[in-house]
Amino acid sequence: MRTDFDRQLRLLGGEMREMGVLCQEAIALAAKALSEDSRELAARVPPISAALDQKERDVENICLKLLLRQQPVAGDLRQISAALKMITDMERIGDQAEDIAEIVSSMAPGPRPETELLGHMARAVIQMVTDSVDAYLRQDTELAAQVIARDELVDGYFEKVKKSLVDIIVAGPDLGGYALDMLMTGKYFERIGDHATNIAEWAIYSVTGEHRSEELTSG
């Protein structure tokens, strides 16, 4: 019985790893589409987002089977419960990468000076997603804590993007549409960083049984 349970847990880990890879691919493609002004690259993001939707359902099924057909001990239960929470954030990462791709597809061609800052944001959040999923798979609370700390870096980039866009609007009010598109793109990257932080927090919970939201409530 335990052998089958362990096999299902390994399957769960594999599916979580694949979801993490899909998240990375979606973010990277959206960022590259933005920097290269490529509608062709942008069009490759929605299928990845759809694949994440399917993976979310697959992981839910695995978790439910583990919960209903087995009798997981405390550590296993935390691992399964954390996975169920994490996949929601991972699916939303795909949605937000798709939102960025939609903006790229609708924007008029032209110079985009903010793309360098947004590229920094993209690389930062890709690493956060990678490390947060790895932290869960490796049960590495220290790595998860590093992800949470790096969210401030992403927030700092977003503040710089906002300041730059304000300066653009002041210099040329006719660029308001462009500025709004860039602002929304930066906001989506910032939200992806928030989702990576959530994943890291659940990775810590899967090891310790403690979640930061509970700490804040008790404080």
Side-chain angles (χ1 to χ4, degrees):
M1 198 72 169
R2 180 70 203 189
T3 301
D4 181 60
F5 184 82
D6 289 340
R7 182 183 64 80
Q8 290 290 323
L9 273 182
R10 287 194 296 272
L11 179 60
L12 173 61
E15 292 291 314
M16 296 294 286
R17 182 177 287 107
E18 289 181 21
M19 281 194 78
V21 171
L22 287 171
C23 286
Q24 296 159 34
E25 290 178 357
I27 303 165
L29 264 178
K32 190 173 183 182
L34 177 68
S35 65
E36 298 183 7
D37 191 15
S38 172
R39 286 167 172 74
E40 181 181 354
L41 289 175
R44 291 165 54 187
V45 177
I48 298 176
S49 179
L52 278 163
D53 292 344
Q54 182 59 53
K55 283 290 183 187
E56 181 185 24
R57 291 190 289 271
D58 293 342
V59 171
E60 284 177 345
N61 288 334
I62 294 170
C63 290
L64 290 175
K65 287 178 182 177
L66 284 166
L67 292 171
L68 295 174
R69 297 180 183 177
Q70 310 287 346
Q71 292 182 333
V73 296
D76 297 328
L77 185 59
R78 289 197 304 269
Q79 192 173 347
I80 297 164
S81 300
L84 283 168
K85 294 290 188 178
M86 292 165 63
I87 58 175
T88 299
D89 284 292
M90 295 164 85
E91 186 271 337
R92 288 176 181 167
I93 287 171
D95 289 344
Q96 278 147 15
E98 185 174 358
D99 289 335
I100 294 168
E102 288 178 3
I103 289 174
V104 173
S105 297
S106 65
M107 287 181 69
R112 301 173 185 174
E114 287 69 39
T115 53
E116 183 177 356
L117 271 175
L118 292 169
H120 290 316
M121 287 186 77
R123 286 187 288 274
V125 297
I126 288 171
Q127 192 61 54
M128 286 176 70
V129 171
T130 301
D131 288 347
S132 61
V133 176
D134 282 349
Y136 169 79
L137 294 171
R138 290 157 43 184
Q139 298 285 275
D140 188 337
T141 57
E142 183 175 343
L143 180 59
Q146 291 172 10
V147 172
I148 294 168
R150 286 205 299 274
D151 192 43
E152 291 186 9
L153 173 65
V154 174
D155 291 344
Y157 282 135
F158 185 46
E159 289 301 317
K160 290 179 181 178
V161 169
K162 287 194 290 185
K163 183 179 183 303
S164 174
L165 292 172
V166 168
D167 293 341
I168 285 176
I169 293 172
V170 170
D174 57 318
L175 295 174
Y178 162 80
L180 181 59
D181 285 338
M182 289 293 98
L183 179 64
M184 290 305 300
T185 300
K187 186 61 180 176
Y188 287 133
F189 280 129
E190 190 261 345
R191 286 178 180 171
I192 289 171
D194 290 341
H195 288 307
T197 298
N198 290 343
I199 294 168
E201 289 173 354
W202 285 112
I204 292 173
Y205 168 83
S206 72
V207 178
T208 66
E210 297 178 357
H211 191 269
R212 190 168 70 167
S213 62
E214 295 174 352
E215 295 174 3
L216 294 173
T217 301
S218 61

